[in-house]
Structures are given as structure tokens and as C-alpha cells.
Amino acid sequence: MDTRPSFDSICATAGEDVPSATRPLVAPIYQTSVFDVESLELVDELYEGRAQGYIYSRDANPNVAILEQVMARLEGGEDAVACASGMAAIGMTLLALLKAGDHVVAASELYGGTSTLLQRHLTRYSVTTELVDITDLDAVQRALSRRPALLFVESISNPLLKVTDLEAIGEMAQRSGARLVVDNTLATPLLLRPLGLGADVVIHSATKFLGGHSDVTGGVTVASAGLAASIRQAVRLWGATLDPFAAWLTVRGVRTLSLRMERACANALEVARFLSDQPAVKQVFYPGLPGHPQHSLASRLLNGGFGSMVSFELSGGGEAASAFVKSVKLVRFAPSLGDTRTTLSHPARTSHRSLSPEERQAAGIGDGLVRLSCGIEAASDIIGDMEQALKAL
Ligand SMILES: *Cc1c(COP(=O)(O)O)cnc(C)c1O
């Protein structure tokens, strides 16, 4: 009998790994949904943790594990769990940490998706949410006295860039027994590591600064080994797994995180100072400016920069914002953040679109508000572009 595989079998088995005496310096992309396990004994060893290895990529994958390990180290946590998006990381964390009947206290200024998830979706699972002004520590203390299971905050808020006093709030949450969950997307672990200040869980949208090039969607949660195990189980069962290629791209982004953040923060400070002197600009929101309400807190809490986001209110309102978006050239309108290039967004038309004009006004988000995510270009080019666009108003 001819034992050579047939044409059909050669096709069907294509893609097996090749033997090599050398190892790749950079982990390859393990674009495989399943692993080849040589014996049933090994299956037992893998499930019982006596052997290190992978079986099925929804449960675990080497590229995803590499990202998780580097994020646990950068945030100073015991373990990390990567997810399909920042919202998946937030959703899986809330599902793992909450049960029906639980009460949540959350900052009133939150990423739109988080706020909708808490206020319109988790209510279906009998989880109630109360919003507080996170800069009002007395209000936070009063809310914590109602014994919430969880307190959800962003370290730097979006779009008005309020800085959360994690030193005070971490201690208050610990005393009340509420688990403190911090969305650290805007600060990144370079500027702030919330676990050292009493946070139980830190979450990132990896789509932003970790990936850093607007070419990947992902999320990561960092926590103690025990909490991470519960979150990991939720990710596996609800199937919110990160794709190997997305994990690989994110790790590639992380390699330059500190260089990108340092430059972007320096650019943001220069841009914020420039905007402060412009007659067409009514107000600038940037924690690095002495006039920002939490400037001294930000100087104490944030390490080596005040973030790369700058928001500003144009005196001419919504019409001026429209004209500004059309006039910028180097800077592009793109409703995300954390890219190597400078992008801008218009919160009233994008992230806060679902609020009524009255709600937006109460939140301080006017039609003239523009949110800038400074990139790593030369500061003079960003400022030059802003200058010509402001002149055109
Ligand atoms: C973008 C963002 C999210 C959501 O992340 P996705 O990756 O888009 O799901 C959550 N929190 C903050 C602060 C964000 O900027």
C-alpha cells in the first residue's frame, strides 16, 4: 500500500510547525485555535497544572499569556486577564465580582460605554448603580456608607480630565469593604499604578495607549491571583477572549509605551500652554496647568507627566468646533485616543451623544468642547496646525 499522503491529505494537514534548533527572539503569533496534545496523560497533567501548556485558545493562548504577564508586571499585580476589548475587560470584571442585588457606586464622569453598561444593562441583573462626583470626597464617603459591593472610578476622567484622589479613595474603599476598580486607560501604568494605592482591580482599554497605533482592539484587567481567576473564568465562559494577533500587536505596542507616553505627555503640556493664550479658546482642561482644580493632586499622584489628553472649549461653541475639525490638517478627527499621531474628538457628538443637551450641560460638556489626544509628532507641528485652524475660525 502506498503510505505517502494523498494530495487531499497534504492540503488538509498544511500548517504544522517546522523543527528548529533555534528559538525566535520575538514570540511568533500562535494563530491556532487548538494545540496538538500527544497523550491523554498529558491532558490530565495540563488540566491539573502539573504541566505547562495550552489546549484551546478560548481558554488560554501563548500570545495572550505574554500580554497578561507583561501587564501584571507593569501594574504591579499578581495576575492579569486579557479580553477582546476594553469594554469586555470591564464587563467580565463586573460579572465576576458582582451578584444579583449588589449595589455599585461609580464616578459620574465615566467612559460612555461603562456608564451605559452600569445604568442600563446591569440593572437587568438586579445590580443598582449610584453615581457620585468623585472629586467630592464627602459625597464619596456618604455613598460608601450605603455598603456598595464595588466602587468604579477612572484614574483620569474623560473628557474633562479630572484626577481621582486614589490615595484618599483607596483607603476609604478599603475601610468600607467595597472593592475598588480603577479604569487606568488614560494614565497608563507609566504615570500611575493604582494597585499600590488600594485598588483591587485595574482595567485598561488596550485599544488606546498599550496598542498605541490605532490598529488593535483589546482590553486587560490586572488583579490579585484570586480575583483574576474569577475574571478569567468569566472570560472563558462568556467567550470574551482576545485574539492571538491582537495580543501580539498589543505586546509590540507595549515595547514603546514609555517612549511614546513621555513624548506625548511633553507635547500635551506644550499644546495646553499654547491653547491657554488663544483668544478663540474659552477654557483649557489639562491637569498639568496650574489653573486645573486638581493640579497639585496630579503633581503628587502622577509620575513624570500629566497625560497626553488635552480638552478645550472653543469660545464660538458648536459652530466653531465644526469649523475647527474641517480646518485641521495634521491633526485628524478620530473618536479614539492614544495613537502615535494627534487626533481629536468632539464629546458632544461622539462619546456623550446619548445624553440630552441638559445632561451634557450639567456634566460640563459644551458643544464647543474639543478633546485632543496628543501624539508623538514634533510639538511645533501640532501647535502650528492648531494655530492655523484657530486663525481660520
Ligand atoms: C476606550 C475606553 C474604554 C473602552 O475600551 P474599548 O477597547 O473601546 O472597548 C474604556 N474606558 C476608557 C477610559 C476608554 O478610553
Side-chain angles (χ1 to χ4, degrees):
M1 194 186 115
D2 188 354
T3 56
R4 282 175 304 173
S6 67
F7 185 93
D8 291 357
S9 299
I10 293 169
C11 289
T13 57
E16 275 182 24
D17 209 356
V18 291
S20 171
T22 53
R23 288 172 59 82
L25 177 62
V26 176
I29 304 166
Y30 287 84
Q31 194 69 44
T32 183
S33 61
V34 71
F35 291 78
D36 177 353
V37 189
E38 69 185 11
S39 70
L40 291 180
E41 289 70 28
L42 182 56
V43 172
D44 290 340
E45 287 171 24
L46 288 168
Y47 274 105
E48 287 156 20
R50 286 182 285 122
Q52 164 76 27
Y54 299 87
I55 302 174
Y56 189 62
S57 284
R58 195 191 69 238
D59 291 333
N61 172 281
N63 297 111
V64 175
I66 291 166
L67 173 61
E68 291 172 342
Q69 283 161 21
V70 73
M71 286 312 298
R73 285 173 70 192
L74 291 178
E75 283 288 3
E78 284 176 1
D79 200 1
V81 183
C83 287
S85 67
M87 280 313 300
I90 293 168
M92 293 304 114
T93 300
L94 295 176
L95 274 174
L97 267 51
L98 295 171
K99 59 182 188 325
D102 276 347
H103 182 59
V104 174
V105 172
S108 48
E109 201 180 303
L110 280 183
Y111 181 73
T114 311
S115 152
T116 308
L117 179 65
L118 283 167
Q119 293 183 276
R120 310 232 171 99
H121 196 77
L122 284 182
T123 44
R124 295 172 55 223
Y125 302 90
S126 300
V127 171
T128 54
T129 295
E130 171 185 357
L131 302 180
V132 288
D133 175 356
I134 208 69
T135 61
D136 179 349
L137 293 180
D138 292 333
V140 175
Q141 189 57 63
R142 276 195 302 279
L144 285 174
S145 71
R146 289 187 272 284
R147 298 245 148 234
L150 193 144
L151 173 60
F152 194 107
V153 305
E154 291 176 5
S155 48
I156 302 178
S157 77
N158 178 16
L160 296 177
L161 309 174
K162 294 179 184 163
V163 179
T164 298
D165 186 349
L166 282 177
E167 286 171 338
I169 283 176
E171 205 189 297
M172 284 158 66
Q174 262 175 356
R175 258 190 282 123
S176 82
R179 290 223 165 96
L180 176 60
V181 178
V182 179
D183 181 335
N184 200 31
T185 300
L186 262 59
T188 82
L190 181 73
L191 302 190
L192 182 69
R193 290 161 30 119
L195 294 175
L197 297 169
D200 296 285
V201 179
V202 171
I203 297 178
H204 286 278
S205 166
T207 313
K208 314 294 168 54
F209 298 98
L210 304 180
H213 299 75
S214 298
D215 53 13
V216 64
T217 298
V220 186
T221 292
V222 187
S224 65
L227 290 182
S230 309
I231 298 164
R232 194 180 295 290
Q233 195 193 26
V235 172
R236 289 172 171 171
L237 293 176
W238 291 77
T241 309
L242 186 66
D243 175 77
F245 184 43
W248 187 92
L249 278 173
T250 308
V251 171
R252 185 185 168 94
V254 167
R255 287 176 141 205
T256 54
L257 175 65
S258 32
L259 288 174
R260 287 185 286 108
M261 272 311 276
E262 279 165 20
R263 168 66 79 86
C265 290
N267 282 352
L269 183 59
E270 281 196 51
V271 168
R273 284 179 179 150
F274 161 78
L275 289 169
S276 305
D277 289 336
Q278 298 305 304
V281 174
K282 196 160 116 193
Q283 195 179 353
V284 181
F285 302 88
Y286 186 64
L289 293 179
H292 185 279
Q294 287 117 21
H295 177 63
S296 63
L297 170 69
S299 310
R300 206 168 63 236
L301 216 57
L302 304 178
N303 163 43
F306 295 94
S308 71
M309 310 294 296
V310 181
S311 292
F312 57 100
E313 177 83 32
L314 289 165
S315 316
E319 266 173 51
S322 273
F324 186 79
V325 167
K326 287 191 189 108
S327 304
V328 282
K329 295 189 174 77
L330 174 71
V331 177
R332 298 291 169 84
F333 176 83
S336 183
L337 53 99
D339 198 343
T340 54
R341 71 182 293 166
T342 302
T343 58
L344 62 80
S345 184
H346 185 255
R349 284 265 183 56
T350 60
S351 52
H352 294 71
R353 198 183 178 93
S354 64
L355 303 188
S356 67
E358 296 74 39
E359 286 176 311
R360 277 203 293 273
Q361 195 169 16
I365 296 160
D367 289 338
L369 187 73
V370 174
R371 191 202 69 189
L372 207 62
S373 167
C374 288
I376 63 173
E377 306 96 328
S380 55
D381 289 340
I382 306 169
I383 289 170
D385 193 31
M386 308 281 286
E387 194 166 25
Q388 64 81 25
L390 288 173
K391 274 209 189 101
L393 291 184

